[in-house]
Amino acid sequence: MASNRKLLVLPGDGIGVEVMRQVHRVVDWFDKRRTVSFDVKEGLVGGAAIDKHGWPIDDATMDVAMNSDATLFGAVGGPKWDGLPFEKKPERGLLRLRKDMDLFANLRPALVFDALADASSLKRELVSGLDILILRELTGGVYFGEPRGVSTLPDGQKKAVDTQVYTTSEIQRIARVAFELARKRGNKVHSVEKSNVMHTGVLWREVVTATHKAEFADVKLEHMLADNCNMQLVRNPKQFDVIVTDNLFGDMLSDCAAMLTGSLGMLPSASLGAPDATGRRKALYEPVHGSAPDIAGKDMANPMATLLSFAMMLRYSFDLPADADLVEQAAKNVLAKGIRTRDIAMPGETPVSTTQMGDALLAELDKLAA
Ligand code: IPM
Ligand code: MG
């Protein structure tokens, strides 16, 4: 049956390939069991694309991404491509997708599943029940600011430059997303920058404050410096609901938040653009973890972050909250049964493989849908 849900799958490199295989199984399951079907295309990104075309993503694949309702992304990079010049690195494929699709809002929820509270490096009481959302600005800041590059000075030494830039409208649009999301959650936003040192931080604080006052005064707003936020995340993470921050701070704070949940292998993310005239947002979903070359190809990786990214896709791109709930509940049940990949296994437990984790999830889906 033809489906109007156009989905592009980009497994990428390393464990991206094997975790995405489990997503395909879930897509098939939905096709057969729930009459929710997708028109799935697959493409190359990162090192896999470099090997084939010489570039980390080609124009044809970019075209498909632009015309899809959602893109599911695995991971990119690996030692094989480490020596490439900057503009040809695997990571540029991901950065081009984010920039060309204008995916400025990156949602990184850090949720502690009850069964995993002991897998965190923090004490159970600090993290159990934790549910925070890091909202990272994704298309601005030092990741894309000009000028950037490396030059050679007259005395022969080199000089490298990256530029942190933010405009009022860039800050305003991410702030609005933060307040809107907070209204549906705990109604509290922490806006995070370095206004004590950086001009972009001063502007960030000004614009967030003004947007709050004009449009979202019902939401609780606090400002926090990024270094303090980093410390507060490990000191008392439950004080947070939504954290909104720039591209670089968001990159760093989300890895830290990820670890609170026990493993980077558990964290999904959604990157969304602005709604168009029909209300549709361009969207890319990806696990927060990378390509993990050390365990790639060994059927050891945790597929949960990618499966949960798929659930976020059902929720945000396809307005299928019941189906998203189903996948998330199945994931919870699997973990509650003590089925764990190596990254979240407790001492003495025998870890399962990537495929076995997929098997367990499908079995739970069957049960829940019976
Ligand atoms: C992330 C990653 C990326 C980033 C890399 C792979 C370019 O660390 O999504 O957090 O720095 O944004
Ligand atoms: Mg990162």
Side-chain angles (χ1 to χ4, degrees), residues 192 224-236 240 243 249 252-257 260:
V192 172
M224 197 179 262
L225 297 176
D227 50 348
N228 182 30
C229 180
N230 203 27
M231 184 268 279
Q232 295 295 339
L233 267 175
V234 290
R235 193 186 74 88
N236 175 19
F240 297 108
I243 294 175
F249 294 143
M252 300 194 293
L253 294 172
S254 62
D255 267 26
C256 176
L260 301 175

Side-chain angles (χ1 to χ4, degrees), residues 53-114:
H53 313 294
W55 289 99
I57 188 157
D58 67 351
D59 293 346
T61 310
M62 270 312 305
D63 238 39
V64 180
M66 294 296 258
N67 291 302
S68 296
D69 296 308
T71 297
L72 257 178
F73 183 96
V76 288
K80 181 173 174 196
W81 307 282
D82 275 352
L84 287 174
F86 197 72
E87 289 309 316
K88 285 191 163 186
K89 280 191 189 301
E91 288 77 7
R92 302 309 301 178
L94 174 59
L95 296 174
R96 180 172 175 199
L97 281 161
R98 289 175 179 170
K99 190 67 178 175
D100 288 10
M101 292 203 279
D102 200 15
L103 305 172
F104 69 94
N106 181 219
L107 284 64
R108 300 191 160 190
L111 203 106
V112 172
F113 289 87
D114 215 34

Side-chain angles (χ1 to χ4, degrees), residues 174-282:
I174 193 73
R176 287 197 176 111
V177 176
F179 292 125
E180 276 157 14
L181 287 167
R183 276 182 178 157
K184 294 187 194 149
R185 301 170 39 96
N187 213 38
K188 187 165 70 175
V189 171
H190 280 83
S191 171
V192 172
E193 28 62 12
K194 283 278 290 175
S195 56
N196 55 345
V197 181
M198 300 168 77
H199 293 289
T200 47
V202 174
L203 183 66
W204 185 279
R205 192 175 283 219
E206 268 171 31
V207 174
V208 172
T209 304
T211 309
H212 175 252
K213 188 161 177 249
E215 301 169 39
F216 300 95
D218 55 301
V219 181
K220 191 160 183 276
L221 170 66
E222 280 180 40
H223 300 279
M224 197 179 262
L225 297 176
D227 50 348
N228 182 30
C229 180
N230 203 27
M231 184 268 279
Q232 295 295 339
L233 267 175
V234 290
R235 193 186 74 88
N236 175 19
K238 284 191 226 168
Q239 70 186 287
F240 297 108
D241 177 29
V242 174
I243 294 175
V244 61
T245 190
D246 77 14
N247 205 342
L248 183 62
F249 294 143
D251 180 47
M252 300 194 293
L253 294 172
S254 62
D255 267 26
C256 176
M259 226 26 233
L260 301 175
T261 73
S263 167
L264 210 48
M266 290 299 302
L267 248 78
S269 78
S271 304
L272 308 175
D276 64 13
T278 68
R280 176 180 165 254
R281 291 173 184 268
K282 288 200 174 54

